[in-house]
């Protein structure tokens, strides 16, 4: 079996910056390779057309066609031609694409099946973030979903919400994002000598980063020695037009809290484990996710989590057992849950162990890789 992934991002130095979508694709690609399945990743929006290999995964870079008013159409037709040729040459059996901006809306290969996996479309995220979506994005995303040969979603919440926002009634197979928990192991390093709270991910409004300062202000009132560490790329704020979310955040911290905040720009993916390991607790006060890999990574490293209680979260975390779920705007309760971990070593350790067990039992590469393979087989058949 030969699977191709069409994506705007992939975590490699040659393909540029990548977020959770690229990471989830790479995790799955590695799992498929381990089962003897050929994997090719078609990365569009690149500076050049090129081909290289990443530990057995074939990466094909695709440069977009630039032509005023028709770039979107011509680029899609270029991708369609590439897919057709690969299928004719028996180099791929199936193409999977994400729902983001509906890249496959006008791509219809001759015989190669096209699968869309919901990681969260622009329409979906705008709905959760109470923002107006661009009509063209919504048009392409809906058309792509309607034309797909089969549909996947990383969470039931994302599938249901997608049907709702597009006025559809599509059937989705639910297969969560996976990680190799063996690559994210905790150790016995002492993490209670410093009360450290870690957030890692983009600094952006939809991930609750404008709520986090207000939450941390309350943590500092009770734990003046607590430290907040932020790791991730600073993103412009769409709603206000401000060029820096980090700049907006600084104005929200109290005088006492800002002294205990450390902001680190994006670090290489290989170094994020070190940051997680040193943290006492990880926080994710997000308003808009689908099934975040970052949560799985923290859980696998036995870190207690305080996260948003919206939609997808209950499919990942069992409230009070392997983490705490609180609405991001409930600053009082969110801060109290963080403090409960900072002040109680036994609770911290117990919750962390339960979090890793949840990942091992439900979201590990060994558990979910076969589900993906069986799905692909059914589509190809």
């Amino acid at each position: 079996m030969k699977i191709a992934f069409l994506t705007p991002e992939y975590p490699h130095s040659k393909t540029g910056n990548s977020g959770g979508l690229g990471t989830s694709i790479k995790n799955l690609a590695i799992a498929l390779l381990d089962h003897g399945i050929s994997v090719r990743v078609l990365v569009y929006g690149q500076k050049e057309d090129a081909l290289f290999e990443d530990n057995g995964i074939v990466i094909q870079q695709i440069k977009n066609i630039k032509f005023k008013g028709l770039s979107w159409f011509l680029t899609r037709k270029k991708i369609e031609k590439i897919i057709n040729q690969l299928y004719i040459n028996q180099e791929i059996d199936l193409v999977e694409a994400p729902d983001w901006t509906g890249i496959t809306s006008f791509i219809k290969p001759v015989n190669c099946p096209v699968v869309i996996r919901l990681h969260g479309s622009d329409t979906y995220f705008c709905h959760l973030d109470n923002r107006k979506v661009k009509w063209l994005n919504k048009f392409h995303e809906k058309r792509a979903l309607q034309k797909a040969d089969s549909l996947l979603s990383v969470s039931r919440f994302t599938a249901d919400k997608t049907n709702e926002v597009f006025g559809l009634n599509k059937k989705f197979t639910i297969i969560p994002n996976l990680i190799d928990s063996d690559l994210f192991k905790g150790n016995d390093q002492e993490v209670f000598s410093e009360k450290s709270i870690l957030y890692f991910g983009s600094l952006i409004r939809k991930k609750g980063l404008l709520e986090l300062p207000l939450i941390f202000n309350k943590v500092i009132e009770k734990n003046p020695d607590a430290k907040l560490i932020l790791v991730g790329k600073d993103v412009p704020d769409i709603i206000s037009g401000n060029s820096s979310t980090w700049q907006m955040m600084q104005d929200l911290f109290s005088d006492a809290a800002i002294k205990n905040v450390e902001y680190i720009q994006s670090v290489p993916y290989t170094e994020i484990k070190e940051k997680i390991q040193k943290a006492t607790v990880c926080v994710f006060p997000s308003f808009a996710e689908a099934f975040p890999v970052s949560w799985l990574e923290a859980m696998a490293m036995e870190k207690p989590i305080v996260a948003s209680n919206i939609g997808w979260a209950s499919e990942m975390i069992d409230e009070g057992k392997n983490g705490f779920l609180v609405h991001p705007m409930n600053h009082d309760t969110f801060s109290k849950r963080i403090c409960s971990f900072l002040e109680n070593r036994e609770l911290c350790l117990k919750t962390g162990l339960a979090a890793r067990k949840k990942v091992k039992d439900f979201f590990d590469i060994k558990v979910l890789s076969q589900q993906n393979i069986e799905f692909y087989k059914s589509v190809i058949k």
Side-chain angles (χ1 to χ4, degrees):
M1 190 159 53
K2 302 166 184 176
I3 306 299
F5 293 96
L6 178 62
T7 173
E9 62 179 58
Y10 182 80
H12 193 282
S13 58
K14 291 183 179 180
T15 52
N17 293 328
S18 176
L21 170 60
T23 301
S24 64
I25 289 173
K26 184 168 185 176
N27 287 345
L28 178 53
I30 292 170
L32 296 176
L33 277 181
D34 287 343
H35 284 79
I37 295 171
S38 172
V39 179
R40 179 181 292 254
V41 180
L42 308 173
V43 192
Y44 60 91
Q46 296 290 289
K47 295 179 181 179
E48 61 178 354
D49 291 312
L51 198 69
F52 67 93
E53 195 170 297
D54 179 26
N55 295 316
I57 302 169
V58 177
I59 311 298
Q60 184 166 349
Q61 295 173 271
I62 301 172
K63 183 178 180 180
N64 288 8
I65 295 176
K66 293 185 179 181
F67 192 93
K68 190 174 181 179
L70 287 175
S71 296
W72 65 269
F73 181 77
L74 295 175
T75 296
R76 281 167 167 80
K77 288 301 157 184
K78 176 180 178 179
I79 294 171
E80 179 182 276
K81 184 177 180 181
I82 290 171
I83 292 172
N84 280 333
Q85 195 59 56
L86 289 171
Y87 188 80
I88 290 170
N89 294 343
Q90 298 185 348
E91 293 180 82
I92 62 173
D93 297 317
L94 173 151
V95 171
E96 177 182 307
D99 48 342
W100 179 256
T101 66
I103 185 62
T104 59
S105 60
F106 283 84
I107 294 175
K108 185 60 180 176
V110 177
N111 290 307
C112 183
V114 175
V115 170
I116 290 182
R117 188 186 303 252
L118 301 185
H119 292 275
S121 63
D122 187 36
T123 306
Y124 168 87
F125 282 123
C126 284
H127 176 81
L128 293 182
D129 208 23
N130 295 312
R131 289 186 288 112
K132 187 177 181 180
V133 66
K134 294 179 180 178
W135 74 267
L136 188 59
N137 282 354
K138 186 172 184 178
F139 166 77
H140 283 303
E141 289 173 346
K142 183 173 183 178
R143 180 180 169 87
L145 290 170
Q146 291 173 319
K147 288 169 59 64
D149 294 295
S150 199
L151 298 165
L152 284 163
S153 178
V154 296
S155 70
R156 170 52 59 191
F157 174 81
T158 303
D160 292 343
K161 189 62 67 176
T162 295
N163 270 329
E164 177 187 328
V165 298
F166 287 110
L168 298 172
N169 188 29
K170 293 289 187 178
K171 180 182 178 181
F172 292 89
T173 298
I174 311 300
I175 305 180
N177 283 330
L178 55 79
I179 67 168
D180 185 348
S181 58
D182 289 340
L183 298 179
F184 289 86
K185 287 184 177 180
N187 59 38
D188 297 328
Q189 180 179 335
E190 178 61 65
V191 296
F192 289 89
S193 56
E194 179 180 76
K195 296 179 178 179
S196 60
I197 305 161
L198 174 67
Y199 167 85
F200 60 101
S202 297
L203 271 60
I204 188 171
R205 182 188 291 263
K206 74 177 183 180
K207 290 186 180 288
L209 270 292
L210 297 184
E211 307 301 325
L212 190 52
L214 305 178
I215 293 168
F216 187 58
N217 290 345
K218 294 183 176 295
V219 172
I220 283 292
E221 290 174 7
K222 195 173 181 184
N223 288 273
D225 56 341
K227 186 175 182 180
L228 175 63
I229 301 166
L230 307 167
V231 180
K233 183 177 70 172
D234 186 15
V235 177
D237 184 55
I238 296 176
I239 294 178
S240 68
N242 195 305
S243 61
S244 169
T245 299
W246 168 234
Q247 184 181 53
M248 296 172 68
M249 292 175 66
Q250 291 178 68
D251 295 335
L252 299 175
F253 286 109
S254 66
D255 292 340
I258 192 66
K259 296 175 183 177
N260 287 20
V261 178
E262 179 184 0
Y263 172 45
I264 304 169
Q265 296 273 348
S266 298
V267 300
Y269 182 70
T270 53
E271 294 180 19
I272 197 62
K273 288 188 287 186
E274 179 184 342
K275 302 297 181 185
I276 299 172
Q277 183 57 53
K278 291 181 178 179
T280 306
V281 56
C282 293
V283 293
F284 302 102
S286 186
F287 289 102
E289 302 279 6
F291 203 89
V293 174
S294 55
W295 296 24
L296 297 178
E297 292 170 347
M299 292 169 71
M301 292 194 70
E302 300 180 15
K303 293 301 167 180
I305 287 177
V306 183
S308 165
N309 67 349
I310 300 172
W312 68 89
S314 61
E315 297 180 50
M316 303 182 73
I317 294 175
D318 305 301
E319 163 63 18
K321 182 178 180 181
N322 38 53
F324 286 127
L325 301 177
V326 186
H327 195 278
M329 296 182 74
N330 189 342
H331 305 147
D332 282 331
T333 303
F334 210 110
S335 64
K336 287 177 182 176
R337 294 292 184 256
I338 293 172
C339 289
S340 67
F341 286 130
L342 296 179
E343 298 165 5
N344 190 330
R345 174 188 170 89
E346 292 305 314
L347 177 64
C348 208
L349 294 173
K350 178 182 176 182
T351 306
L353 287 171
R356 178 168 174 80
K357 186 178 188 304
K358 182 67 182 282
V359 172
K360 291 280 287 184
D361 289 348
F362 295 97
F363 312 124
D364 188 72
I365 193 171
K366 299 180 183 68
V367 177
L368 292 178
S369 57
Q370 196 59 44
Q371 290 185 33
N372 282 279
I373 292 169
E374 291 305 318
F375 174 83
Y376 293 143
K377 284 181 179 178
S378 69
V379 174
I380 293 169
K381 182 178 179 180

